Amino acid sequence: MARLSANRKILHADCDCFFAAVEMRDDPALRDIPLAIGGSVARRGVIATCNYPARAFGIHSAMPTARALRLCPHLTLLPGDFDKYREVSRRLQAVFHELTPLVEPLSLDEAFLDVTGAERFSGSATWMARWLKAECLARTGITVSVGVAPTKFLAKIASDWDKPDGLTVIPPARVDDFLLDLPVKKLHGVGPATGACLDALGIATCEQLRQVPLERLVEEFGKFGRRLFELARGIDERPVKVERERKSISVETTFARDLPDLASCREALAPLCERLEERLARHGHPALSGLLVKVRFDDFSLTTLESRGLAPDPQSFARLLEQAWQRGRRPVRLLGVGARLVPADERRQLSLPF
Ligand SMILES: [Mg+2]
């Protein structure tokens, strides 16, 4: 296979505890105390972001707020000012676009940049990353961690490598070495189910994964087996995709063991709803037009159910789940929940004055 990857320069930029960082910037009294942005306990909310002092208590994003307050009763909890976060995000994105038009935003505070053809700094991706970090800090007061690599999945791992305020560069010549010790659980798309399966096969690192023949991986993981084979070798040809309009936001889980009945599906719903709420916050709480639930049964049949006009609360998802499950009435491999977004042109019409 042609190694296009080896010639690309991808940056992954990711703000450090973004919403919390904006609040700490605007109110220095919040800087050294445990702080989280999230929904209230009364609304059964979840934590969208928290700062490092809060993380020291074991708090993390997508955790129910009630649990976070049990871990740290003196936690300062703010509901979040998403108009303000969107404004900061716009200024960050403007910095990104000064380096390259090839920017793929993943959420308000995170993006891939393809700087392969960028000419500034004599084409040095490392210097571009340094400039980007300094410029974002100067213009918004927010620190950004950046990863530089020949592929998307490695750039994303690299930005997380030395957080906060990190800059990790994996040049093409170091990709192989970097991968050898990399835990397979860090690979793009390896969730709890695949992780458990790899564990059972005694595969913990990419070096061990490379020992497994392609045919064996395909046998074990289907299509994803080929992907694992490639990722272990640093191959990831996914391009940086510019600004396609996002139509929905969803999360899903493939279970290590099939869920036998509707009751166990209902139980699995709560953590999914929490992850979805956190994801919606990361996108600045966009306007929603409906909900969707996705169920894959143990015979691999797939059903999705959508409903317009419902709020994304656990009760609505529970009702949709029940209807979707009735279509198969079998053990369940995968559950997903999501929300449809109001298209941008409709949003603009909605905001027109009468
Ligand atoms: Mg971030």
Side-chain angles (χ1 to χ4, degrees), residues 101-119:
L102 301 177
V103 177
E104 177 180 346
L106 299 175
S107 65
L108 288 186
D109 77 315
E110 204 184 319
F112 283 114
L113 290 75
D114 185 333
V115 297
T116 310
E119 283 167 358

Side-chain angles (χ1 to χ4, degrees), residues 14-18 109-110 163 282:
D14 185 12
C15 298
D16 304 320
C17 48
F18 181 52
D109 77 315
E110 204 184 319
K163 255 180 176 295
R282 285 163 58 94

Side-chain angles (χ1 to χ4, degrees), residues 118-177:
E119 283 167 358
R120 297 180 70 173
F121 306 104
S122 312
S124 161
T126 306
W127 288 4
M128 289 187 233
R130 281 201 195 118
W131 174 86
L132 182 144
K133 283 169 60 69
E135 211 58 24
C136 286
L137 183 61
R139 293 194 215 170
T140 68
I142 298 299
T143 61
V144 182
S145 290
V146 181
V148 185
T151 60
K152 279 170 113 175
F153 92 98
L154 282 171
K156 188 159 167 118
I157 291 171
S159 72
D160 196 43
W161 207 248
D162 194 23
K163 255 180 176 295
D165 201 13
L167 170 57
T168 301
V169 182
I170 309 174
R174 275 200 26 229
V175 166
D176 256 354
D177 272 354

